Amino acid sequence: MSARAAARGPAVLTALLLLAATRASAEAGGLASYQYTLSSTTGVANSTWAGITYDRVNDETYVVADGLVRIYNRTGMEVFRFGRDEDLGFVNRVAVLTEGDLVVMSWLGKRLLTRCDFRGRPLQTIELQGLPATVPATFAPDTVEAVGDALYFVETSPGRVVVTDTSGAFRDYHDLRALAKLVKRSDGIGAVSVAADGKMLFTVPTLFAAFVLAPSGEVRQFGVKGSRPGRFNIVGKMVSDENGNLFLTDKLRSVVMVFDGDFRFLGEFGYRGPRPENMAAPFDLAVGNGKVFVAQARKLGVKVFKLSLPAPVPPGAAPPPPPAAPGAATPRPPAAAASSRP
């Protein structure tokens, strides 16, 4: 047993039995199969639109809800929790550093940025340092992500991103609204994530669009409005797996859509309904090691799916027909509209 697992305490037999009771192998259109819902010793962990951070190295999942951070092991059982205390206050978001420490964004009378050990014990306060005049004085990040030795502090709706080192020293600034040439004030950013290769992924629900900002500065856009498979209705968050595939939630259609790195539609899974594999207004999600973690509304918690993606499509080749929605015919999906903005 690792020191991390030992420090947090082993999962007890009753917890494992409860988890086993929630497992299912219901197929989600052949693309992904439902495995379980994150749970504790008392049963399924109920939460509404929780924040999810997945540590691919240690195969642990951090779920932030109601000011607490709950940590789940590879079998989906809660092994530790912290937050809502005199040191951190109400936790809003967590990022995992490569060496295993955490960056915790919380509120305790004011916004706090704290570097903690893997059990949430504070090590040092992080202050944003050396911000240039191009960063608005009102900059107020609401989420943080860690990629390599960089931290990305995001103020989501206005699309402002400050990049620092792990101590908070300024490196770069990005105005996503300006880069995406968004003119209307109503066209706010829906969600932002950062891929392992430094690409910034963000959505604009009012435009039924998703954007990919490459480290080179190139911005690509895709998305088609509609209710058919592969089309956007109320798009939520977009994340990337280790192979560059893109996963997007759609809150109204209650699905997770999957595209390859060239925006070719691979399929979708979820849908509203009472079955274990169904979802209710999914928003945040995380992906890695062949698993997808999806946060939902209505206190339905975080569901975990195992992926069965098709083999990568060679550049320029037509993708295979994606799985159809349950009970539907199998029409060929529309090509995703894409544009490039240097």
Side-chain angles (χ1 to χ4, degrees):
M1 180 180 294
S2 68
R4 294 170 66 90
R8 289 174 177 155
V12 297
L13 178 59
T14 55
L16 293 174
L17 292 174
L18 282 168
L19 176 63
T22 67
R23 287 183 179 271
S25 59
E27 292 299 322
L31 186 73
S33 57
Y34 170 76
Q35 298 297 291
Y36 49 82
T37 301
L38 298 183
S39 303
S40 69
T41 56
T42 58
V44 170
N46 299 320
S47 61
T48 295
W49 287 328
I52 309 172
T53 300
Y54 177 57
D55 180 355
R56 294 174 179 172
V57 174
N58 293 293
D59 203 3
E60 293 181 325
T61 310
Y62 296 76
V63 175
V64 180
D66 302 320
L68 285 173
V69 181
R70 294 173 171 87
I71 306 171
Y72 298 85
N73 63 17
R74 67 178 58 196
T75 65
M77 292 306 306
E78 181 181 333
V79 292
F80 196 74
R81 66 173 65 182
F82 66 88
R84 234 161 50 189
D85 55 34
E86 60 183 14
D87 293 320
L88 296 173
F90 194 95
V91 178
N92 306 114
R93 197 73 188 185
V94 170
V96 182
L97 299 174
T98 54
E99 57 268 43
D101 285 348
L102 310 175
V103 175
V104 177
M105 179 178 285
S106 62
W107 183 264
L108 188 60
K110 63 177 182 178
R111 188 194 70 236
L112 295 178
L113 299 172
T114 310
R115 181 166 181 155
C116 300
D117 67 11
F118 70 94
R119 293 192 66 177
R121 293 175 295 205
L123 300 175
Q124 65 184 71
T125 299
I126 298 175
E127 299 286 349
L128 300 185
Q129 312 155 41
L131 301 187
T134 52
V135 179
T138 57
F139 178 68
D142 51 66
T143 190
V144 60
E145 297 214 10
V147 176
D149 63 350
L151 296 176
Y152 293 74
F153 295 96
V154 181
E155 188 176 9
T156 303
S157 185
R160 298 166 182 157
V161 182
V162 168
V163 187
T164 74
D165 65 14
T166 55
S167 69
F170 178 82
R171 286 185 177 176
D172 205 352
Y173 173 65
H174 303 275
D175 184 336
L176 300 183
R177 281 181 50 85
L179 290 167
K181 296 181 170 57
L182 303 181
V183 177
K184 295 182 180 179
R185 297 186 65 180
S186 59
D187 292 335
I189 307 298
V192 180
S193 72
V194 185
D197 59 2
K199 290 187 178 76
M200 283 186 238
L201 317 175
F202 58 101
T203 59
V204 182
T206 55
L207 296 181
F208 310 95
F211 296 80
V212 177
L213 170 62
S216 65
E218 179 192 34
V219 178
R220 296 188 297 156
Q221 173 186 345
F222 72 104
V224 177
K225 177 183 177 181
S227 57
R228 292 172 55 191
R231 297 197 175 192
F232 295 2
N233 209 303
I234 300 180
V235 66
K237 189 172 182 178
M238 174 167 61
V239 299
S240 174
D241 69 5
E242 299 92 332
N243 297 316
N245 296 308
L246 303 172
F247 298 73
L248 295 90
T249 52
D250 191 301
K251 293 170 66 176
L252 187 59
R253 295 181 55 232
S254 290
V255 298
V256 173
M257 295 175 284
V258 187
F259 297 82
D260 70 11
D262 293 318
F263 308 148
R264 292 176 291 207
F265 179 54
L266 301 180
E268 61 184 37
F269 59 95
Y271 310 102
R272 288 185 294 272
R275 295 173 61 87
E277 69 270 24
N278 295 142
M279 303 177 190
F283 184 73
D284 202 2
L285 76 167
V287 62
N289 296 330
K291 295 184 286 188
V292 182
F293 304 81
V294 185
Q296 314 164 85
R298 295 167 47 190
K299 292 189 176 295
L300 293 177
V302 175
K303 290 187 174 182
V304 183
F305 296 81
K306 181 179 178 181
L307 287 170
S308 300
L309 289 177
V313 178
T330 56
R332 193 170 186 83
S339 64
S340 178
R341 301 182 181 182

Short mmCIF file of all heavy atoms in Angstrom, two decimals, residues 2 9 48 56 80 84 108-109 112 122 166 179 197 206 228 233 243 283 286 289 297 328:
data_model
loop_
_atom_site.label_atom_id
_atom_site.label_comp_id
_atom_site.label_asym_id
_atom_site.label_seq_id
_atom_site.Cartn_x
_atom_site.Cartn_y
_atom_site.Cartn_z
N SER A 2 0.54 2.25 -0.84
CA SER A 2 1.35 3.44 -0.92
C SER A 2 1.18 4.28 0.33
O SER A 2 0.22 4.15 1.09
CB SER A 2 0.93 4.27 -2.14
OG SER A 2 -0.36 4.79 -1.95
N GLY A 9 -6.14 6.25 4.86
CA GLY A 9 -6.92 5.18 5.44
C GLY A 9 -7.47 4.25 4.39
O GLY A 9 -7.91 4.67 3.33
N THR A 48 -24.34 18.29 -6.64
CA THR A 48 -24.92 18.96 -7.80
C THR A 48 -23.85 19.81 -8.47
O THR A 48 -23.29 20.71 -7.84
CB THR A 48 -26.11 19.84 -7.40
OG1 THR A 48 -27.15 18.99 -6.89
CG2 THR A 48 -26.64 20.63 -8.58
N ARG A 56 -4.16 11.86 -13.02
CA ARG A 56 -3.91 10.69 -13.85
C ARG A 56 -2.76 9.85 -13.34
O ARG A 56 -2.74 8.63 -13.55
CB ARG A 56 -3.62 11.14 -15.29
CG ARG A 56 -4.80 11.79 -16.00
CD ARG A 56 -4.42 12.34 -17.36
NE ARG A 56 -5.56 12.95 -18.04
CZ ARG A 56 -5.47 13.63 -19.18
NH1 ARG A 56 -4.28 13.78 -19.77
NH2 ARG A 56 -6.55 14.16 -19.74
N PHE A 80 -10.71 10.29 1.69
CA PHE A 80 -10.32 11.42 2.53
C PHE A 80 -11.13 12.64 2.11
O PHE A 80 -11.64 12.69 0.99
CB PHE A 80 -8.81 11.70 2.39
CG PHE A 80 -8.25 12.58 3.48
CD1 PHE A 80 -8.04 12.08 4.75
CD2 PHE A 80 -7.93 13.91 3.23
CE1 PHE A 80 -7.53 12.89 5.75
CE2 PHE A 80 -7.43 14.73 4.23
CZ PHE A 80 -7.22 14.21 5.49
N ARG A 84 -13.62 23.59 4.44
CA ARG A 84 -14.61 24.17 5.33
C ARG A 84 -14.07 24.20 6.76
O ARG A 84 -14.75 23.79 7.71
CB ARG A 84 -15.93 23.39 5.24
CG ARG A 84 -17.10 24.29 4.95
CD ARG A 84 -18.30 23.57 4.42
NE ARG A 84 -18.73 22.42 5.18
CZ ARG A 84 -19.66 21.56 4.78
NH1 ARG A 84 -20.22 21.73 3.59
NH2 ARG A 84 -20.01 20.54 5.51
N LEU A 108 -12.25 32.65 2.49
CA LEU A 108 -12.29 32.78 3.95
C LEU A 108 -12.28 34.26 4.26
O LEU A 108 -11.29 34.84 4.69
CB LEU A 108 -11.10 32.08 4.59
CG LEU A 108 -11.10 31.97 6.13
CD1 LEU A 108 -12.32 31.18 6.60
CD2 LEU A 108 -9.82 31.32 6.63
N GLY A 109 -13.42 34.91 3.95
CA GLY A 109 -13.50 36.36 4.07
C GLY A 109 -12.89 37.08 2.87
O GLY A 109 -13.21 38.23 2.60
N LEU A 112 -8.53 33.01 -1.21
CA LEU A 112 -7.25 32.46 -0.79
C LEU A 112 -6.72 31.50 -1.85
O LEU A 112 -7.49 30.74 -2.44
CB LEU A 112 -7.39 31.70 0.53
CG LEU A 112 -7.78 32.49 1.79
CD1 LEU A 112 -7.89 31.52 2.98
CD2 LEU A 112 -6.75 33.57 2.09
N PRO A 122 -2.17 23.09 4.74
CA PRO A 122 -1.53 24.24 4.11
C PRO A 122 -0.01 24.21 4.28
O PRO A 122 0.51 23.92 5.35
CB PRO A 122 -2.14 25.43 4.86
CG PRO A 122 -3.45 24.92 5.36
CD PRO A 122 -3.21 23.48 5.72
N THR A 166 4.53 27.95 -10.32
CA THR A 166 3.82 27.37 -9.17
C THR A 166 3.90 28.24 -7.92
O THR A 166 3.19 27.97 -6.95
CB THR A 166 4.38 25.97 -8.85
OG1 THR A 166 5.79 26.05 -8.66
CG2 THR A 166 4.07 25.00 -9.99
N LEU A 179 -9.37 36.95 -28.37
CA LEU A 179 -8.77 35.99 -29.30
C LEU A 179 -9.82 35.29 -30.16
O LEU A 179 -9.58 34.97 -31.33
CB LEU A 179 -7.96 34.96 -28.52
CG LEU A 179 -6.67 35.49 -27.88
CD1 LEU A 179 -6.12 34.47 -26.88
CD2 LEU A 179 -5.63 35.82 -28.94
N ASP A 197 -0.93 19.45 -23.29
CA ASP A 197 0.02 20.08 -24.21
C ASP A 197 -0.07 21.59 -24.22
O ASP A 197 0.55 22.26 -25.06
CB ASP A 197 -0.17 19.54 -25.63
CG ASP A 197 -1.57 19.79 -26.18
OD1 ASP A 197 -2.39 20.41 -25.48
OD2 ASP A 197 -1.86 19.34 -27.31
N THR A 206 -23.77 30.62 -26.01
CA THR A 206 -24.69 31.42 -26.82
C THR A 206 -24.39 31.33 -28.31
O THR A 206 -25.26 31.63 -29.14
CB THR A 206 -24.63 32.89 -26.38
OG1 THR A 206 -23.27 33.35 -26.45
CG2 THR A 206 -25.16 33.06 -24.97
N ARG A 228 -29.57 16.91 -32.86
CA ARG A 228 -29.14 15.61 -33.34
C ARG A 228 -27.78 15.25 -32.76
O ARG A 228 -27.06 16.12 -32.25
CB ARG A 228 -29.07 15.63 -34.87
CG ARG A 228 -30.42 15.74 -35.57
CD ARG A 228 -30.24 15.96 -37.07
NE ARG A 228 -29.42 14.91 -37.66
CZ ARG A 228 -28.95 14.97 -38.90
NH1 ARG A 228 -29.18 16.02 -39.66
NH2 ARG A 228 -28.22 13.97 -39.38
N ASN A 233 -26.40 22.16 -28.15
CA ASN A 233 -27.60 22.85 -27.68
C ASN A 233 -27.19 23.84 -26.59
O ASN A 233 -27.01 25.01 -26.85
CB ASN A 233 -28.66 21.86 -27.21
CG ASN A 233 -30.05 22.40 -27.38
OD1 ASN A 233 -30.36 23.46 -26.86
ND2 ASN A 233 -30.90 21.70 -28.12
N ASN A 243 -4.82 11.42 -25.83
CA ASN A 243 -4.64 11.29 -27.27
C ASN A 243 -5.17 12.49 -28.05
O ASN A 243 -5.20 12.46 -29.28
CB ASN A 243 -5.34 10.02 -27.77
CG ASN A 243 -4.74 8.76 -27.16
OD1 ASN A 243 -3.52 8.63 -27.09
ND2 ASN A 243 -5.59 7.86 -26.71
N PHE A 283 -22.31 18.90 -16.57
CA PHE A 283 -21.53 20.10 -16.86
C PHE A 283 -20.03 19.82 -16.76
O PHE A 283 -19.36 19.60 -17.75
CB PHE A 283 -21.92 21.26 -15.94
CG PHE A 283 -21.20 22.54 -16.29
CD1 PHE A 283 -21.54 23.25 -17.42
CD2 PHE A 283 -20.16 23.00 -15.50
CE1 PHE A 283 -20.86 24.42 -17.76
CE2 PHE A 283 -19.47 24.16 -15.82
CZ PHE A 283 -19.82 24.88 -16.96
N ALA A 286 -14.04 15.27 -16.33
CA ALA A 286 -12.60 15.03 -16.39
C ALA A 286 -12.39 13.70 -17.09
O ALA A 286 -13.27 12.83 -17.07
CB ALA A 286 -11.99 15.01 -14.99
N ASN A 289 -6.81 7.97 -18.48
CA ASN A 289 -6.65 6.54 -18.24
C ASN A 289 -7.86 5.73 -18.69
O ASN A 289 -8.24 4.73 -18.06
CB ASN A 289 -6.38 6.28 -16.75
CG ASN A 289 -5.06 6.89 -16.29
OD1 ASN A 289 -4.12 7.01 -17.07
ND2 ASN A 289 -5.00 7.28 -15.02
N ALA A 297 -26.53 17.48 -12.37
CA ALA A 297 -27.45 18.23 -11.54
C ALA A 297 -28.25 17.29 -10.64
O ALA A 297 -28.01 16.08 -10.60
CB ALA A 297 -28.40 19.03 -12.44
N ALA A 328 -32.97 5.47 -31.81
CA ALA A 328 -33.00 6.32 -32.99
C ALA A 328 -32.43 5.57 -34.18
O ALA A 328 -31.76 4.56 -34.05
CB ALA A 328 -32.22 7.60 -32.74
#
